[in-house]
Amino acid sequence: GIQVEQSPPDLILQEGANSTLRCNFSDSVNNLQWFHQNPWGQLINLFYIPSGTKQNGRLSATTVATERYSLLYISSSQTTDSGVYFCAVGAGSYQLTFGKGTKLSVIP
Amino acid sequence: GAVVSQHPSWVICKSGTSVKIECRSLDFQATTMFWYRQFPKQSLMLMATSNEGSKATYEQGVEKDKFLINHASLTLSTLTVTSAHPEDSSFYICSAKLAGGRNEQFFGPGTRLTVL
């Protein structure tokens, strides 16, 4: 099956700093989603982005499908951005394969 | 829009009992729903794909007789953990895909199961 690798596994930021999270995948995809899992376990949809670039407030994402990677940018980070960020991809079927996540800690 | 609910949010049960978890799409129809399991500090692992009106498709290594899935309507799927044991303790999360349209999935808040 498709392999998904996320980096870095852990990231500690000072409040106000910017960051880039990366997701590499091993095959062509027809679905790519970024999620933020909050401390209560809820997965929050950030982006549906199988290709191209999108922005939503302080967050933006870019997927370069031909090179099999996606990037999630967080600007002016806040303590509420802390949590685990997951990239998940789908290829062919509707099923999603999740990466292992990036644990982000934003300190005041 | 695209809200998915789960009930209960947490459950504690004795070993050997069965537990049913409900997953509902509140404001859209979902022909396909998915069940995931997440152990502490790990990623989500797909357990099964639930299709309305047909049998669920289970991932390799997931016992279909232990994890019974019923997708009775376009807005409801249930997961029953039968004869639960402590090793079944986990965080169970469902998701739903919009009927038609793109492949985007929307996730429920999860159910934390603890088997004593």
Side-chain angles (χ1 to χ4, degrees), chain B residues 3-105:
Chain B
V3 178
V4 178
S5 70
Q6 276 184 247
H7 179 80
S9 55
W10 59 270
V11 57
I12 301 173
C13 69
K14 292 183 178 180
S15 187
T17 60
S18 295
V19 174
K20 180 185 284 189
I21 303 169
E22 293 186 349
C23 176
R24 294 182 185 272
S25 55
L26 297 185
D27 52 359
F28 66 100
Q29 293 186 332
T31 52
T32 307
M33 290 183 170
F34 305 86
W35 288 95
Y36 296 82
R37 182 165 52 182
Q38 184 180 32
F39 292 107
K41 299 188 185 303
Q42 294 188 21
S43 187
L44 281 74
M45 296 297 294
L46 179 66
M47 299 174 65
T49 302
S50 166
N51 294 297
E52 186 265 338
S54 64
K55 290 184 179 180
T57 303
Y58 292 81
E59 294 301 299
Q60 191 173 7
V62 178
E63 299 175 57
K64 63 179 181 181
D65 294 331
K66 180 163 188 64
F67 299 100
L68 301 179
I69 292 172
N70 185 7
H71 193 155
S73 75
L74 288 173
T75 59
L76 173 65
S77 177
T78 60
L79 168 68
T80 301
V81 183
T82 63
S83 187
H85 288 95
E87 58 266 29
D88 299 323
S89 298
S90 187
F91 191 53
Y92 292 87
I93 310 173
C94 74
S95 71
K97 173 194 165 308
L98 285 161
R102 63 190 195 185
N103 293 336
E104 187 174 9
Q105 290 184 27

Side-chain angles (χ1 to χ4, degrees), chain A residues 21-89:
Chain A
L21 281 58
R22 187 177 180 101
C23 172
N24 292 334
F25 43 94
S26 61
D27 206 344
S28 300
V29 298
N30 56 16
N31 183 4
L32 190 146
Q33 293 183 244
W34 283 98
F35 301 93
H36 176 212
Q37 188 168 39
N38 67 21
W40 298 273
Q42 171 79 63
L43 282 171
I44 309 298
N45 284 41
L46 298 178
F47 294 102
Y48 169 79
I49 188 165
S51 64
T53 297
K54 292 185 177 179
Q55 181 162 5
N56 184 2
R58 295 183 296 104
L59 303 181
S60 64
T62 296
T63 297
V64 184
T66 53
E67 297 187 20
R68 300 181 183 169
Y69 73 88
S70 183
L71 302 174
L72 176 69
Y73 305 97
I74 305 174
S75 64
S76 303
S77 57
Q78 301 175 358
T79 55
T80 53
D81 295 331
S82 296
V84 181
Y85 289 80
F86 286 106
C87 166
V89 303

